[in-house]
Amino acid sequence: MGKIEIFDLEKHFAFYGAYHSNLINIIIHMIFVWPIAFFSLLILYFTPDLFNLPRIEISLCGYDLVLIFNIGFVLTLIYALFYVSFDPKAGSLAAFLCFLLWVASSFVGNYIGFSLAWKVVLAGQVICWTGQFIGHGVFEKRAPALLDNLSQAFLMAPFFVLLEALHTFCGYEPYPGFNARVQSMIAAEINEWQEKRQKLIY
């Protein structure tokens, strides 16, 4: 597909879509991608405060919520700003979900502590990643995108899963004609991949 410009949403989404064209694999990713982000933020809750800012402590129904401005917060902010820069509407929703996950992971992390959190994170990550690899190996029959574009797979996957869901259930697209152009690019990329695959076989 060639080099992808960092803020070219059509090319990024087409690259992602070329690896996620099977309906079952798409559903699997809708189920597991955002939980992977949650479990990542959960373990990052136990990283040190980066800015020496006071913690925000809130009591909710007898439970304490402690927000720490650490690596988890920084990554949440980076992801949120990156998504908004791609598409103000869907990106704003994605940014909201990122901060919601940060708050939720902070609540869970503070409640269960590190000794239990790392076990929960390990189990959660294993289940989620296993599900995704099954989706690619059994249903998509194509290696995951992370093997070809690591940063795109990790940074963009949550946003693209959300964008896919918004289009599927609400008919949303960032601007008129977006989906038609992306689907055309996906079809072309899949055809190119299949041709290369056939040459390797024969």
Side-chain angles (χ1 to χ4, degrees):
M1 186 173 289
K3 187 176 180 180
I4 301 177
E5 292 79 3
I6 189 169
F7 291 115
D8 191 327
L9 182 56
E10 286 186 10
K11 288 185 178 180
H12 275 296
F13 196 40
F15 177 86
Y16 177 85
Y19 288 80
H20 306 86
S21 59
N22 176 272
L23 178 60
I24 302 299
N25 190 36
I26 291 172
I27 293 172
I28 288 173
H29 280 67
M30 287 183 178
I31 294 172
F32 289 126
V33 165
W34 280 91
I36 286 175
F38 170 80
F39 290 123
S40 299
L41 288 173
L42 177 55
I43 200 64
L44 290 174
Y45 175 73
F46 300 97
T47 57
D49 177 6
L50 296 177
F51 307 104
N52 294 319
L53 295 174
R55 299 181 176 188
I56 299 176
E57 299 185 14
I58 305 171
S59 180
L60 297 172
C61 302
Y63 296 97
D64 294 327
L65 169 62
V66 182
L67 300 176
I68 305 172
F69 298 100
N70 51 20
I71 295 175
F73 170 76
V74 172
L75 288 178
T76 298
L77 183 62
I78 291 172
Y79 271 62
L81 292 175
F82 199 60
Y83 294 159
V84 172
S85 69
F86 270 106
D87 176 35
K89 293 180 181 178
S92 295
L93 177 57
F96 171 76
L97 292 176
C98 286
F99 280 103
L100 185 63
L101 287 187
W102 175 63
V103 172
S105 64
S106 297
F107 176 80
V108 174
N110 183 68
Y111 181 70
I112 67 177
F114 179 77
S115 61
L116 179 57
W118 76 264
K119 299 174 186 177
V120 172
V121 169
L122 179 61
Q125 293 283 12
V126 168
I127 291 171
C128 291
W129 282 106
T130 299
Q132 291 195 93
F133 279 110
I134 290 174
H136 280 282
V138 176
F139 299 103
E140 191 74 41
K141 301 187 184 304
R142 184 176 186 180
L146 63 88
L147 299 181
D148 290 334
N149 191 327
L150 190 63
S151 61
Q152 202 263 15
F154 280 101
L155 182 60
M156 302 303 301
F159 179 59
F160 288 154
V161 165
L162 176 63
L163 200 59
E164 182 90 51
L166 289 174
H167 175 73
T168 300
F169 299 109
C170 305
Y172 174 80
E173 55 182 351
Y175 46 83
F178 172 84
N179 188 64
R181 283 193 287 269
V182 166
Q183 291 303 318
S184 176
M185 294 167 68
I186 290 174
E189 202 283 333
I190 291 177
N191 287 335
E192 180 181 347
W193 170 71
Q194 290 176 338
E195 289 175 3
K196 289 181 180 179
R197 189 182 181 189
Q198 289 298 321
K199 289 180 180 178
L200 290 175
I201 294 175
Y202 298 107

